[in-house]
Amino acid sequence: MRTRVTAWTPAPPTLADTDPVGRASLATRVLAGRRTVVLTGAGVSTPSGIPDYRSPDAVPRNPMTIEQFLSSADFRRHYWARNHLGWRHMDAATPNAAHRAITDLQRAGVATGVITQNVDMLHLKAGSRPVLDIHGSYGRVICLSCGHTQSRHLLAQSLEEANPGFADRVRGRGAIEVAPDADAVLDDTSDFTIVDCAACGGVLKPDIVYFGESVPRPVVDRAFAMVDDADAMLVAGSSLSVMSGLRFVRHAARSGKPVVIVNRGRTRGDDVAAVKIDHRCEAILPMLVDLSRASARHVSNAFV
């Protein structure tokens, strides 16, 4: 599956829904009694300080594509230098109210699992299980030759040894602007030394799906299975601008499963949504938790 080739274009601005409580109540009624799979995107993590590509107020960016990364050592050096500075910002990020609400929905038996387009691991930090990272994870590095994997923390030690004082020199030039996907904005990377695979000397790559790269087929199949196992879908913080997320929404709708979308701005799935809420995930998702709990208590009291 080819994916994420246009996702860096900010979406047109929209007006937020003026009755978020009423819209959340409607969404709760649609999802009531249905086992719901959750599909999340960058809008869930922006309150945790992680920039995105598609929200209306996002900064236009040109992230590196898989073709560029594979084409030359210069591109790879440029990427790893930026990643060496930016990945720790993502590593230090903590879950926000949206992540915690999704975990609460899982623990309450409302949500069956999370399919996320994010690579930040914040759902796992929030305690959600199961979580399927369809675009991979910033915390792993893979060799493109032998398939050997290692943690990003371990690679950081090797990069520090190969580039002593690099981060301090860059910080000395001024503030570092953090970009999405564990990246940082950095123009001059000519003095950075990349590190090859310790097992075979091959090219190392973050274990994430780059723009223009394919999501592995086993991951796609598992995501479809999660959708098939649920009775409804909740989309949170995704514009669904690329097929890697949109196809699961369309699959759910074709299967007769109601789809609820919470996202700031328009999405490509709005036409199939039973309910669309144009608002911030960190505001709406906790409402869904509270309303679901209140509904469950009402049902319980009705049988007393």
Side-chain angles (χ1 to χ4, degrees), residues 49-113:
I50 298 177
D52 71 330
Y53 292 109
R54 284 289 299 169
S55 64
D57 57 352
V59 176
R61 302 183 189 274
N62 292 301
M64 188 172 294
T65 65
I66 186 60
E67 289 81 6
Q68 291 174 320
F69 185 83
L70 296 176
S71 67
S72 75
D74 287 338
F75 274 119
R76 291 192 290 276
R77 179 175 63 248
H78 187 62
Y79 175 83
W80 279 117
R82 293 162 59 106
N83 182 270
H84 186 55
L85 297 175
W87 82 278
R88 292 189 186 279
H89 174 82
M90 185 170 286
D91 192 55
T94 57
N96 61 66
H99 297 105
R100 294 191 294 271
I102 291 171
T103 301
D104 288 340
L105 289 173
Q106 284 187 283
R107 290 172 176 167
V110 176
T112 58

Side-chain angles (χ1 to χ4, degrees), residues 249-273:
V249 173
R250 289 179 174 173
H251 180 72
R254 284 195 301 267
S255 301
K257 304 173 192 290
V259 176
V260 171
I261 299 178
V262 181
N263 187 67
R264 190 65 186 90
R266 299 184 184 92
T267 84
R268 289 178 67 193
D270 288 355
D271 60 327
V272 299

Side-chain angles (χ1 to χ4, degrees), residues 27-36 109-110 230-232 258 292 295-296 299:
T28 301
R29 292 195 295 273
V30 169
L31 298 178
R34 292 186 168 100
R35 301 169 67 255
T36 303
V110 176
D231 305 315
S292 295
S295 176
V299 172

Side-chain angles (χ1 to χ4, degrees), residues 63-175:
M64 188 172 294
T65 65
I66 186 60
E67 289 81 6
Q68 291 174 320
F69 185 83
L70 296 176
S71 67
S72 75
D74 287 338
F75 274 119
R76 291 192 290 276
R77 179 175 63 248
H78 187 62
Y79 175 83
W80 279 117
R82 293 162 59 106
N83 182 270
H84 186 55
L85 297 175
W87 82 278
R88 292 189 186 279
H89 174 82
M90 185 170 286
D91 192 55
T94 57
N96 61 66
H99 297 105
R100 294 191 294 271
I102 291 171
T103 301
D104 288 340
L105 289 173
Q106 284 187 283
R107 290 172 176 167
V110 176
T112 58
V114 178
I115 303 169
T116 185
Q117 297 172 289
N118 301 334
V119 301
D120 52 40
M121 299 176 66
L122 288 178
H123 286 298
L124 291 174
K125 290 181 180 179
S128 283
R129 303 291 189 278
V131 177
L132 179 62
D133 303 309
I134 60 173
H135 288 162
S137 166
Y138 81 91
R140 297 185 303 268
V141 178
I142 188 169
C143 174
L144 297 180
S145 297
C146 70
H148 175 73
T149 59
Q150 62 177 299
S151 74
R152 185 61 184 81
H153 286 268
L154 184 61
L155 179 63
Q157 298 175 16
S158 299
L159 289 173
E160 290 283 357
E161 293 170 359
N163 299 275
F166 176 78
D168 290 336
R169 292 197 302 274
V170 173
R171 292 189 186 96
R173 302 171 195 165

Side-chain angles (χ1 to χ4, degrees), residues 11-34:
T14 61
L15 294 176
D17 283 325
T18 57
D19 182 20
V21 176
R23 300 296 291 167
S25 297
L26 177 59
T28 301
R29 292 195 295 273
V30 169
L31 298 178
R34 292 186 168 100

Side-chain angles (χ1 to χ4, degrees), residues 267-284:
T267 84
R268 289 178 67 193
D270 288 355
D271 60 327
V272 299
V275 180
K276 163 64 188 302
I277 305 175
D278 192 331
H279 214 287
R280 295 175 292 109
C281 291
E282 71 274 21
I284 298 298

